[in-house]
Amino acid sequence: MKFTRQRYQSGSLTREKRKAGPAVWIFRWRENTQDGRVNRKVVVGTVEQFPTKTAARKAAEPLRTSAIADNPAVPVTVTQLVKHYTHNELSSKAHSTQRTVETSLKVWVAPKWGEHRLSDVRTVAVESWLHRLSLANATKAKVRNVMHGIFAHACRYEWLHKNPISLVRQSAKREKMPDVLAAEELKKLLAELQNPARALVFLTAATGLRVSEALGLKWSDVDFGTRAISLSRSVVHQHVGEMKTEASRKPVPMDGALATALFEWSRQTPYRQPGDWVFASPKMNGKQPYWPETLLKSYVQPIAKRLSITKKIGWHTFRRTLATLLTASDENAKTTQELMRHANAGITMNLYAQALTAVKRAAHLKVVAMIGPTAETASVPLCSHVEEAETVSA
């Protein structure tokens, strides 16, 4: 059932003057009857009894609760609110955001809070529940933020006069710093990898592209003449969407060994037309890019293990590694921020500093030189049995 918003559906509190005597607080609502929906109203009290709207609202709470219970168009429980939020707001958000929110709601929020009435969800109770969950702080913080979002939705529709999650405290501080690779570790890894895994790792490590952005590239985005890569889309779970932020759409440099590596890969892949995906999947006849888990689990992680690299490696590891290598190379904060395409590096840096293209290109080339192959390992063979490996993510 899809809920629709109507005026007074959960009650409306107004202050009205009288011809004689003090002003009064009036509570209005709509009620279902055998003759259809009718408007109701009742005097809550005078402004002398309830000097503020907050005081009058508390006095009217029993009436409001009764009005909501009698109106099937208004969510009463958290489950009903989630359904309304999903139908009316979540669908307009990015695909990756939808997946994150849906997972939090299905796995954590609904099992615990689904049958609770909205008015029964309390700040301290939610906070205590989050603290008891056996999850990382960052995950708990995401769950908390998802709950805040759905209750904010209720407040916008005036089904609640305050968000009970606003004062829920939940730290997002990491309990353990994520791993980054040393330049020598990354160089050894690239020397052992074969295409297309090698090309994708080299690209993400040298440019800081998110894997969704790298998989969203088409050959028309790669300009070997100007040595630059344009960004206009991302691919998350084979869903093509827009870039994460405005800063994410800025072009990135492609120099030195990276340009050579991508050019070599363009000559190896059967999908090399301008409209083809750079990392097109043979299993899908080039119509979709590879699943990121396929190359990571079948090639990157096994090779790292064979090289005795014990660090936990995911696609975002290479993005973090780039930031670390840039910092170690004494690049200024603004240059690093723009190469990483973060939204900001502090108001001062945003308003008064701009990294020159030449400086960004020089910083990028330093990292490429750090991790690029030697002459002996410059030629890279193509992975065998790539198609079979894609069953990892099936």
Side-chain angles (χ1 to χ4, degrees):
M1 178 178 112
K2 186 174 182 179
F3 299 110
T4 56
R5 185 184 181 193
Q6 300 180 36
R7 191 181 180 190
Y8 304 148
Q9 59 190 8
S10 59
S12 174
L13 184 67
T14 57
R15 173 176 169 166
E16 296 186 4
K17 293 182 179 180
R18 292 292 176 93
K19 292 181 179 179
V24 295
W25 295 102
I26 303 291
F27 182 77
R28 290 181 171 84
W29 75 98
R30 283 180 176 172
E31 185 176 300
N32 293 323
T33 69
Q34 293 180 346
D35 299 323
R37 294 171 62 80
V38 297
N39 294 332
R40 305 288 193 193
K41 69 177 182 179
V42 66
V43 177
V44 177
T46 68
V47 292
E48 292 178 347
Q49 294 173 292
F50 308 107
T52 65
K53 191 169 186 178
T54 299
R57 188 179 282 137
K58 288 182 179 179
E61 185 63 22
L63 295 170
R64 190 190 67 83
T65 302
S66 177
I68 290 178
D70 188 55
N71 187 351
V74 178
V76 176
T77 67
V78 173
T79 293
Q80 293 171 338
L81 176 60
V82 166
K83 187 174 182 180
H84 189 278
Y85 171 80
T86 301
H87 288 170
N88 293 275
E89 187 167 341
L90 185 60
S91 58
S92 65
K93 298 184 181 297
H95 180 70
S96 57
T97 300
Q98 291 184 39
R99 289 182 62 90
T100 299
V101 171
E102 288 170 353
T103 298
S104 293
L105 291 173
K106 181 179 179 180
V107 177
W108 305 109
V109 179
K112 172 62 179 179
W113 302 101
E115 300 307 312
H116 284 64
R117 296 173 66 89
L118 302 185
S119 57
D120 292 338
V121 178
R122 295 285 186 264
T123 299
V124 174
V126 174
E127 187 173 295
S128 298
W129 167 69
L130 285 171
H131 289 177
R132 292 194 303 269
L133 292 178
S134 299
L135 299 172
N137 283 341
T139 305
K140 291 181 184 180
K142 287 181 181 178
V143 174
R144 181 260 179 212
N145 292 341
V146 167
M147 289 190 70
H148 186 275
I150 64 173
F151 277 93
H153 180 78
C155 291
R156 280 193 294 275
Y157 277 78
E158 299 177 1
W159 297 323
L160 292 173
H161 65 269
K162 68 176 183 178
N163 190 327
I165 313 301
S166 294
L167 296 180
V168 172
R169 300 169 299 182
Q170 176 55 57
S171 172
K173 184 178 180 180
R174 288 191 177 107
E175 298 171 2
K176 179 183 177 182
M177 291 299 293
D179 287 328
V180 296
L181 298 176
E184 285 304 313
E185 290 176 320
L186 188 50
K187 195 166 187 175
K188 288 179 182 179
L189 185 62
L190 288 171
E192 292 295 321
L193 285 172
Q194 296 179 338
N195 282 329
R198 179 182 182 275
L200 184 55
V201 169
F202 202 166
L203 176 64
T204 55
T207 64
L209 287 182
R210 301 170 181 90
V211 71
S212 59
E213 297 166 345
L215 293 176
L217 291 176
K218 294 187 176 183
W219 285 114
S220 57
D221 302 320
V222 182
D223 192 329
F224 290 103
T226 61
R227 298 175 301 165
I229 299 174
S230 300
L231 302 170
S232 59
R233 73 192 74 80
S234 64
V235 176
V236 179
H237 295 280
Q238 302 303 347
H239 181 91
V240 181
E242 297 180 353
M243 302 299 293
K244 188 174 182 180
T245 64
E246 182 179 351
S248 297
R249 290 189 286 271
K250 293 182 178 180
V252 297
M254 173 188 61
D255 276 302
L258 175 61
T260 301
L262 288 178
F263 183 73
E264 183 176 273
W265 167 236
S266 72
R267 299 180 66 181
Q268 291 178 332
T269 176
Y271 309 103
R272 57 176 67 94
Q273 297 303 311
D276 289 336
W277 300 106
V278 171
F279 297 101
S281 165
K283 184 177 181 180
M284 301 304 297
N285 297 318
K287 295 180 180 179
Q288 293 180 353
Y290 284 98
W291 283 84
E293 294 86 355
T294 296
L295 300 178
L296 187 67
K297 294 180 180 180
S298 296
Y299 297 100
V300 180
Q301 291 175 344
I303 292 294
K305 184 177 181 180
R306 181 159 60 82
L307 293 172
S308 299
I309 299 175
T310 58
K311 297 173 180 176
K312 186 176 181 180
I313 297 178
W315 284 114
H316 218 66
T317 302
F318 304 115
R319 182 170 167 80
R320 294 191 194 99
T321 297
L322 172 64
T324 302
L325 293 176
L326 287 170
T327 301
S329 300
D330 295 325
E331 296 300 336
N332 67 68
K334 188 61 181 178
T335 302
T336 301
Q337 176 221 326
E338 294 212 355
L339 278 171
M340 297 295 294
R341 295 167 300 112
H342 284 143
N344 64 79
I347 294 177
T348 302
M349 295 297 290
N350 269 342
L351 294 178
Y352 298 104
Q354 286 290 327
L356 299 176
T357 300
V359 176
K360 290 165 61 178
R361 191 174 294 280
H364 157 74
L365 192 54
K366 283 183 183 179
V367 175
V368 172
M370 280 181 175
I371 65 178
T374 60
E376 293 78 12
T377 60
S379 181
V380 184
L382 183 66
C383 285
S384 59
H385 307 298
V386 170
E387 294 186 28
E388 290 82 348
E390 291 194 66
T391 57
V392 171
S393 59

